[in-house]
């Protein structure tokens, strides 16, 4: 998001945090209702254009949102969305992206309150690795001809009783409402949101053999010092690395593997 949309999303996040800080607010219910609003805005293009029309006053748009959502969702959700449409958005699509992000944050907040955020982070990462290693599963989950119900049932057979309920909800929403994203990009985005709940970054570490506890602690400390923030390590064993490790933090890759050095030597010889 750029400009006005970034500011609007920041304001919406603050409003969501204020809501979920209240112990009487059910963050899981809030997440479910925000997800329903996301689906509505994604489906109704003309509606989201009206709700983000800069020519209309913020109060008029908020009143429209209240009329549409009143009785369909709880008061907290309706007020939150009304506040969002009062803001200025650079693109109408950004409002949908923001509603979806708030739904995911609300679910992660519920997990954090229950002391399960670390488990959710790890489960999202592990599920991503399972998908990447199984072309058949990925194909089934991204098949555009398959119904949302069929995909949900498949995911519940895989995750039900084995993963945290928050993980299951997040993955089911992502798979059944991909909104043009790849499955991998969606899982990566969820992992980053989970890490942000603790104000920390995510480092995906690939090594030829499992790292010892001492190595993990040392690597985490080095990366935290380098980036100035606490680092959550997602560990992946990949024999193709050959030796050493590779670390991916966002779009940045720190490559210290033997395989990379061999490739570099090959490139130099070829040159």
């Amino acid at each position: 998001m750029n400009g006005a949309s970034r500011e609007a999303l920041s304001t919406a996040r603050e409003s969501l945090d204020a809501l979920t800080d209240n112990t009487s607010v059910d963050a899981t219910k809030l997440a479910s209702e925000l997800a329903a609003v996301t689906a509505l805005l994604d489906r109704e293009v003309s509606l989201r254009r009206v709700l983000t029309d800069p020519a209309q006053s913020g109060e008029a748009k908020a009143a429209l949102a209240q009329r549409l959502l009143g009785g369909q969702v709880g008061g907290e959700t309706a007020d939150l969305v009304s506040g969002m449409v009062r803001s200025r958005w650079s693109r109408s699509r950004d409002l949908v992206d923001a509603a979806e992000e708030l739904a995911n944050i609300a679910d992660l907040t519920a997990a954090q309150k229950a002391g399960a955020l670390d488990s959710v982070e790890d489960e999202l990462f592990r599920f991503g690795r399972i998908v990447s290693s199984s072309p058949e599963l990925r194909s089934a989950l991204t098949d555009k001809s398959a119904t949302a119900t069929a995909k949900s049932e498949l995911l519940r057979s895989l995750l039900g009783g084995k993963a945290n309920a928050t993980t299951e909800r997040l993955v089911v929403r992502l798979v059944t409402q991909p909104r043009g994203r790849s499955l991998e990009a969606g899982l990566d985005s969820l992992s980053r949101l989970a890490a942000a709940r603790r104000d920390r970054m995510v480092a995906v570490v690939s090594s030829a053999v499992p790292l010892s506890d001492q190595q993990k602690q040392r690597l985490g400390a080095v990366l935290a010092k380098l980036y100035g923030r606490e680092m959550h390590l997602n560990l992946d064993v990949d024999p193709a690395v050959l030796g050493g490790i590779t670390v991916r933090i966002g779009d940045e890759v720190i490559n210290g593997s033997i395989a990379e050095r061999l490739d570099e030597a090959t490139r130099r010889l070829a040159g």
Side-chain angles (χ1 to χ4, degrees):
M1 295 185 187
N2 296 313
S5 290
R6 187 184 296 113
E7 293 180 12
L9 175 57
S10 177
T11 299
R13 281 175 172 167
E14 291 176 2
S15 298
L16 177 64
D17 286 342
L19 266 178
T20 53
D21 281 345
N22 187 333
T23 56
S24 67
V25 173
D26 185 340
T28 300
K29 180 173 180 276
L30 190 61
S32 177
E33 292 178 347
L34 284 167
V37 171
T38 301
L40 172 66
L41 295 175
D42 191 50
R43 184 172 64 250
E44 302 293 340
V45 179
S46 58
L47 173 60
R48 70 172 184 256
R49 286 177 176 166
V50 170
L51 292 175
T52 55
D53 184 357
Q56 301 294 322
S57 72
E59 287 306 314
K61 290 183 285 188
L64 174 59
Q66 285 284 358
R67 288 198 301 274
L68 289 171
L69 299 177
Q72 305 300 312
V73 298
E76 294 90 354
T77 303
D79 290 344
L80 184 58
V81 176
S82 296
M84 292 172 71
V85 300
R86 283 189 183 93
S87 297
R88 185 180 181 86
W89 298 88
S90 305
R91 303 180 307 163
S92 64
R93 191 77 178 170
D94 290 345
L95 175 62
V96 195
D97 293 341
E100 180 183 57
E101 182 168 316
L102 293 189
N104 292 334
I105 291 173
D107 250 333
L108 291 166
T109 300
Q112 186 175 29
K113 287 184 173 182
L117 187 56
D118 281 346
S119 296
V120 171
E121 282 188 79
D122 290 338
E123 288 166 357
L124 288 170
F125 176 72
R126 288 201 302 272
F127 182 76
R129 285 298 176 264
I130 291 171
V131 170
S132 66
S133 65
S134 176
E136 296 84 1
L137 175 59
R138 186 186 188 283
S139 178
L141 294 176
T142 57
D143 184 358
K144 293 182 179 179
S145 65
T147 65
T149 299
K151 292 178 181 179
S152 296
E153 289 176 352
L154 173 58
L155 286 169
R156 291 193 170 102
S157 71
L158 293 170
L159 300 175
K162 305 180 186 74
N164 187 279
T166 297
T167 305
E168 185 177 336
R169 285 193 300 271
L170 290 169
V171 173
V172 168
R173 276 208 302 268
L174 172 63
V175 169
T176 57
Q177 302 173 41
R179 302 187 52 244
R181 293 160 306 190
S182 72
L183 182 53
E184 292 80 3
L187 288 169
D188 187 58
S189 176
L190 288 173
S191 292
R192 293 188 193 188
L193 283 178
R197 292 308 303 163
R198 295 188 186 280
D199 191 31
R200 62 187 182 185
M201 301 177 74
V202 175
V204 179
V205 181
S206 298
S207 58
V209 297
L211 300 182
S212 68
D213 289 342
Q214 184 178 13
Q215 288 172 320
K216 287 184 284 188
Q217 291 172 5
R218 188 160 58 240
L219 177 61
V222 169
L223 292 173
K225 184 176 181 180
L226 181 63
Y227 286 87
R229 289 176 64 184
E230 183 183 351
M231 196 71 60
H232 176 75
L233 304 184
N234 280 336
L235 305 172
D236 185 31
V237 176
D238 181 3
V241 174
L242 297 184
I245 61 172
T246 60
V247 180
R248 179 170 62 83
I249 302 172
D251 295 327
E252 183 177 359
V253 177
I254 304 170
N255 202 326
S257 71
I258 292 175
E260 172 65 16
R261 280 173 271 172
L262 288 174
D263 287 344
E264 177 63 22
T266 301
R267 288 193 292 269
R268 289 181 180 179
L269 286 173

